[in-house]
Amino acid sequence: MKNIKWTVLAIGVLLLTSCKEKKMDKQETTNPLMVCEFNTPHESIPFDKIENAHYLPAVNKAIEIGKAEIDAIINNKEEANFENTIVALDNAGEQLGLVSGIFFNLLSAENNEEMQMLAQELSPILTAYSNDIMLNTELFKRVKTVYNKKAELNLNPEQAFLLDDTYRGFIRSGALLVGADRDKYRDISTKLGQLSLKFNENSLKEMNGYSKHITKESDLAGLPEFVIEAAAEEAKERGLEGWVITLQYPSYGPFMKYSEVRELREEIYMASATQCNDNSDFNNLGLITEIVNLRLEFAQLFGYKSYADYVLVERMSGSAKTVNDFLADLATASMPKAKEDAKELQEFANENGADFQLMAWDWSFYSEKLKNERYSINDEMVKPYFQLENVEKSILDLAGTLYGITFERNTEIPLYHKDVKAYEVKEADGTYLGLLYLDYFPRATKQSGAWMTSFRSQYKDASGDHRPHVTIVCNFSKPTESKPSLLTFMEVTTFLHEFGHGLHGMLSNCDYKGQAGTSVSRDFVELPSQLMENFAEEKEWLSIIAKHYQTGEAMPEAIIDRIIKSGKFQSGSGSARQLSLGMTDMAWHSITEPFTGNVLEFEKNVMAATSILPKVEETATSPTFGHIFAGGYAAGYYGYKWAEVLDADAFASFKEEGIFNKETAQRFRIEILSRGGSRKEMVSYVAFKGRKPEIDALLERSGLK
Ligand SMILES: [Zn+2]
């Protein structure tokens, strides 16, 4: 449930610039995506005026503008310098970044059949545009000219970093390839763009295609009232009697946790764990093979043995070996505890009448019972204290306490769905910082999971500091007829996580677009998000924010204590699960020969080392593992664990200096959040912490030490 997605675009360092004055024809003036300036508060996206038909012409027009901007750089009579080449490149393609950003963000958050088809059409057009730039020899010549005289340019550190990044970006995007290799590069990148989209499209269709209609009351055994009510409303929406369970997390998760009907748990688990698998109309197995083989070919074009090698040389970790060692070390630390968790749960289940070996569809059910027995804590007890509106206010207030910023609802800002809200974010002194959109509930037009992304990036130019428009999209428990949206503790944590990414975007203070906000290494990007998660386990914060939605009473201290104590519950098996995903990702991207085997077999072998339950044939994670096959986390999933070392270590400073300590927060803001990717991540980290990260805080927090 913790994830962040970026638009699946390969426009490299090129994103958004100032809109150039130009003459408009009639079509352009009626297409809201073709005008230079939006007549909306803070130039916010005029979602209410955008129709499907606007995208393609707007993209084509934006490509025209982008090409003209690139031509202007190449044809500049002056010798190439930092401003007329590197900065101009950072600025080129603003309109295209804006339009395609809107399209791909909505493709994840509020799509339709027509948009899915259009995505397949747009993807090769955008890849071609990007390739035309990155493979442009004249342009590269100018970049190289600037790069070669770097020593005499007197650049400040950010400028030097941008220059290095741009130069490397060209090389990693094929600038040095020659002959047939260039065509091959174009071909592979185009196909990869399309396959990723298809992968996501299949996952969404598959998830929406399944529902379990329950008609017998006895099949509801064990379900708390909030689950039953949501299932009844789902049925009603579909014009059915009875109850409906779907594979969307707010429906699926609680069902697996509470249903006493083991056969139903098995049936629904199997539906979920075999999605996009062999017998499905939306089979992703072939796509996986194609994707990993194309990525291998791609890496080999650049002389790397595997795609992981190609990716990781640019990351904090620096190499596949470092990542594999890191995952193996953590597995060594976690597996004894994970196995203990499994053994303990089996014993508990046996004591409670289970005369069978626990299977995957039993884990959640018995874990919930054991947790309840041990800590006297469960969702039903906690949810009434986490009304969504109240949690939202508390999280916004937390940002106020830490960073002095404020959030003001602005109902004039156009929205893409009635459930979305928009806020203006301001500094304590009222200075405008950006826009924040919040989109909470699941719907058939939205991908599963939760993520943060931006409609506009932050950057500075002669006309000033252009502030970002950030969006947070979730799939939280919906309100029902009788109750407002009441969040589980896990949902509160997810909110904090995505909000942490949001702060990274909103507090960005960079000169260049390519470096702003979350434009950092994939194994660093989860630091700001996971750091915020820590607050959920702090009594000092929980006691302020958890208030009963009916009585307004604060959560009893005893419950808070139990929440915190239960935080380490099954930390071994939880860690094993994340490690198994990280290892599966690394395995897929470490192949050095084209893959010709069976996807399920491959995954099974990789996961064997970290699995603690009997393997169920036909189930697999890879067919719906969108992070790595469609979301930019290829050879990057380990980043969650990697960043856990950082966030635990960083939060230890908050704990030592006071979790609401403004100076600590200010240091985190100045050295990490505001810096984006304008310098090496380790430099930012050390500037905050005073030393390099150490793993002790993580092991302690996870109860593994
Ligand atoms: Zn994240």
Side-chain angles (χ1 to χ4, degrees):
M1 289 305 101
K2 318 191 253 190
N3 72 63
I4 168 177
K5 275 193 229 167
W6 286 278
T7 46
V8 203
L9 276 185
I11 23 186
V13 290
L14 310 161
L15 279 167
L16 322 166
T17 287
S18 58
C19 206
K20 306 284 181 296
E21 279 304 316
K22 57 184 191 301
K23 281 190 181 145
M24 302 277 175
D25 61 28
K26 186 152 184 300
Q27 189 202 18
E28 290 172 28
T29 50
T30 54
N31 185 334
L33 295 175
M34 278 201 202
V35 297
C36 256
E37 269 159 26
F38 300 144
N39 193 14
T40 49
H42 301 293
E43 286 278 294
S44 52
I45 314 299
F47 292 113
D48 52 339
K49 299 198 168 61
I50 301 173
E51 292 164 19
N52 287 338
H54 293 142
Y55 289 114
L56 188 58
V59 165
N60 285 330
K61 183 76 198 170
I63 284 179
E64 237 177 75
I65 297 169
K67 281 184 172 162
E69 287 164 351
I70 297 295
D71 286 345
I73 298 173
I74 297 170
N75 298 327
N76 194 324
K77 294 275 183 292
E78 282 173 50
E79 199 196 338
N81 62 36
F82 184 76
E83 279 300 319
N84 74 18
T85 303
I86 306 301
V87 176
L89 250 174
D90 188 58
N91 285 335
E94 172 181 26
Q95 189 69 10
L96 183 60
L98 179 67
V99 175
S100 57
I102 296 169
F103 178 80
F104 283 101
N105 285 346
L106 293 189
L107 187 69
S108 296
E110 179 63 7
N111 63 39
N112 51 55
E113 191 76 26
E114 214 178 312
M115 283 178 80
Q116 288 169 6
M117 287 189 304
L118 188 54
Q120 286 294 334
E121 197 177 334
L122 285 177
S123 168
I125 297 175
L126 292 167
T127 310
Y129 171 79
S130 167
N131 285 341
D132 286 346
I133 293 172
M134 303 314 266
L135 298 174
N136 185 317
T137 39
E138 288 305 306
L139 185 60
F140 181 58
K141 212 185 275 173
R142 287 185 70 94
V143 171
K144 197 158 181 248
T145 303
V146 185
Y147 183 76
N148 286 342
K149 58 181 179 189
K150 184 178 161 190
E152 54 200 81
L153 293 178
N154 247 335
L155 301 177
N156 69 32
E158 282 105 273
Q159 292 170 331
F161 201 64
L162 180 69
L163 175 55
D164 287 347
D165 248 3
T166 308
Y167 178 72
R168 263 199 331 275
F170 268 85
I171 291 175
R172 289 173 61 78
S173 303
L176 296 180
L177 298 178
V178 289
D181 282 352
R182 288 173 85 86
D183 298 333
K184 205 166 167 190
Y185 177 88
R186 279 183 182 274
D187 188 40
I188 295 173
S189 51
T190 307
K191 279 189 192 143
L192 280 173
Q194 288 176 299
L195 293 174
S196 290
L197 287 170
K198 192 75 201 157
F199 188 97
N200 257 348
E201 189 189 319
N202 281 349
S203 305
L204 184 63
K205 284 186 171 154
E206 181 90 343
M207 184 176 67
N208 288 338
Y210 178 88
S211 60
K212 176 66 188 171
H213 185 197
I214 293 174
T215 50
K216 284 192 300 197
E217 229 174 311
S218 57
D219 282 345
L220 303 174
L223 300 182
E225 195 219 308
F226 78 88
V227 182
I228 296 176
E229 192 179 356
E233 286 191 11
E234 187 66 43
K236 204 167 142 195
E237 271 175 37
R238 293 164 186 249
L240 296 169
E241 296 286 314
W243 306 268
V244 165
I245 303 297
T246 70
L247 297 183
Q248 285 172 339
Y249 199 81
S251 177
Y252 173 82
F255 189 88
M256 297 310 291
K257 229 185 222 184
Y258 298 110
S259 171
E260 285 170 7
V261 188
R262 191 169 186 241
E263 304 74 55
L264 272 182
R265 285 204 312 267
E266 179 177 351
E267 184 185 326
I268 295 173
Y269 171 83
M270 287 303 287
S272 173
T274 58
Q275 287 180 88
C276 301
N277 208 329
D278 260 337
N279 297 321
S280 157
D281 292 342
F282 305 109
N283 186 335
N284 272 342
L285 301 183
L287 288 181
I288 291 174
T289 303
E290 267 188 88
I291 289 171
V292 296
N293 287 343
L294 281 169
R295 284 177 179 164
L296 170 62
E297 255 190 275
F298 184 95
Q300 286 173 342
L301 274 178
F302 295 92
Y304 292 97
K305 264 168 53 194
S306 71
Y307 189 70
D309 286 334
Y310 167 83
V311 169
L312 294 168
V313 68
E314 288 288 299
R315 299 280 156 87
M316 256 186 124
S317 61
S319 75
K321 184 179 180 314
T322 308
V323 173
N324 288 328
D325 288 350
F326 169 76
L327 292 174
D329 285 352
L330 268 183
T332 306
S334 309
M335 284 318 290
K337 174 77 169 53
K339 285 178 182 154
E340 212 176 284
D341 288 348
K343 185 166 162 269
E344 190 179 76
L345 194 65
Q346 181 70 53
E347 283 165 8
F348 171 78
N350 294 145
E351 282 159 25
N352 286 274
D355 55 358
F356 44 79
Q357 183 176 16
L358 291 186
M359 300 298 286
W361 48 86
D362 301 315
W363 183 272
S364 194
F365 177 76
Y366 285 103
S367 293
E368 181 63 20
K369 296 239 169 326
L370 175 59
K371 187 168 152 190
N372 202 353
E373 185 184 89
R374 188 172 297 167
Y375 304 101
S376 306
I377 195 91
N378 61 43
D379 284 345
E380 265 191 299
M381 207 179 271
V382 164
K383 274 166 71 87
Y385 294 92
F386 293 133
Q387 180 181 347
L388 174 63
E389 289 75 11
N390 185 36
V391 173
E392 176 192 296
K393 184 180 177 302
S394 306
I395 290 179
L396 300 184
D397 285 350
L398 175 60
T401 306
L402 295 174
Y403 304 114
I405 58 179
T406 62
F407 298 81
E408 223 171 88
R409 183 100 182 254
N410 183 336
T411 52
E412 301 292 306
I413 289 168
L415 305 169
Y416 59 84
H417 188 277
K418 65 175 174 49
D419 287 351
V420 181
K421 296 194 228 180
Y423 284 92
E424 281 181 30
V425 190
K426 290 178 181 166
E427 291 280 18
D429 67 3
T431 311
Y432 167 73
L433 269 177
L435 291 184
L436 173 67
Y437 296 89
L438 297 169
D439 176 1
Y440 293 124
F441 305 122
R443 38 179 192 265
T445 52
K446 195 193 263 190
Q447 292 280 355
S448 60
W451 60 92
M452 163 272 182
T453 179
S454 305
F455 287 105
R456 286 184 184 277
S457 290
Q458 182 266 328
Y459 69 100
K460 294 175 193 167
D461 64 9
S463 68
D465 184 359
H466 299 256
R467 300 305 308 173
H469 296 185
V470 165
T471 175
I472 290 175
V473 187
C474 305
N475 278 280
F476 288 155
S477 304
K478 280 197 279 194
T480 60
E481 267 164 27
S482 70
K483 287 191 186 67
S485 167
L486 300 174
L487 302 187
T488 62
F489 182 67
M490 195 184 83
E491 287 174 327
V492 174
T493 308
T494 301
F495 196 161
L496 282 163
H497 178 102
E498 300 309 335
F499 189 75
H501 285 307
L503 288 170
H504 203 183
M506 292 180 282
L507 299 180
S508 178
N509 185 21
C510 297
D511 287 342
Y512 307 107
K513 259 172 253 144
Q515 301 180 330
T518 54
S519 308
V520 297
S521 238
R522 192 52 55 104
D523 50 10
F524 190 72
V525 80
E526 302 298 334
L527 165 60
S529 53
Q530 290 176 178
L531 182 102
M532 290 303 287
E533 287 185 44
N534 286 280
F535 284 92
E537 307 217 338
E538 289 300 321
K539 192 173 187 170
E540 231 181 315
W541 187 65
L542 281 178
S543 60
I544 305 172
I545 76 128
K547 294 221 160 37
H548 198 283
Y549 79 101
Q550 284 167 317
T551 63
E553 273 171 58
M555 182 181 268
E557 216 180 298
I559 299 188
I560 294 181
D561 287 339
R562 286 181 239 152
I563 291 181
I564 293 168
K565 274 202 195 116
S566 66
K568 288 191 177 76
F569 178 61
Q570 292 184 337
S571 62
S573 51
S575 179
R577 174 70 185 157
Q578 280 295 82
L579 290 169
S580 76
L581 294 173
M583 288 172 170
T584 302
D585 167 34
M586 283 302 288
W588 277 124
H589 297 107
S590 296
I591 56 167
T592 53
E593 295 289 329
F595 179 73
T596 54
N598 177 307
V599 170
L600 271 49
E601 274 301 307
F602 181 91
E603 179 185 300
K604 186 171 140 186
N605 291 332
V606 177
M607 286 198 175
T610 45
S611 61
I612 46 174
L613 287 170
K615 169 76 189 163
V616 184
E617 292 307 319
E618 301 310 314
T619 63
T621 302
S622 297
T624 50
F625 202 175
H627 273 79
I628 67 166
F629 295 116
Y633 280 76
Y637 197 87
Y638 76 93
Y640 286 105
K641 274 281 159 201
W642 186 270
E644 270 186 42
V645 175
L646 305 177
D647 88 69
D649 193 50
F651 196 71
S653 294
F654 281 84
K655 285 185 84 106
E656 280 156 28
E657 297 160 27
I659 62 166
F660 301 130
N661 188 315
K662 286 186 170 48
E663 280 161 33
T664 314
Q666 186 64 6
R667 203 166 73 238
F668 192 73
R669 175 176 179 174
I670 298 290
E671 301 299 351
I672 292 182
L673 297 176
S674 72
R675 297 280 173 165
S678 63
R679 60 183 180 184
K680 285 250 182 241
E681 286 79 3
M682 190 57 90
V683 174
S684 293
Y685 190 83
V686 171
F688 166 73
K689 186 72 187 182
R691 60 155 170 77
K692 288 188 172 181
E694 290 167 4
I695 198 169
D696 302 44
L698 171 62
L699 296 179
E700 198 165 305
R701 187 179 69 185
S702 322
L704 296 172
K705 199 178 169 182

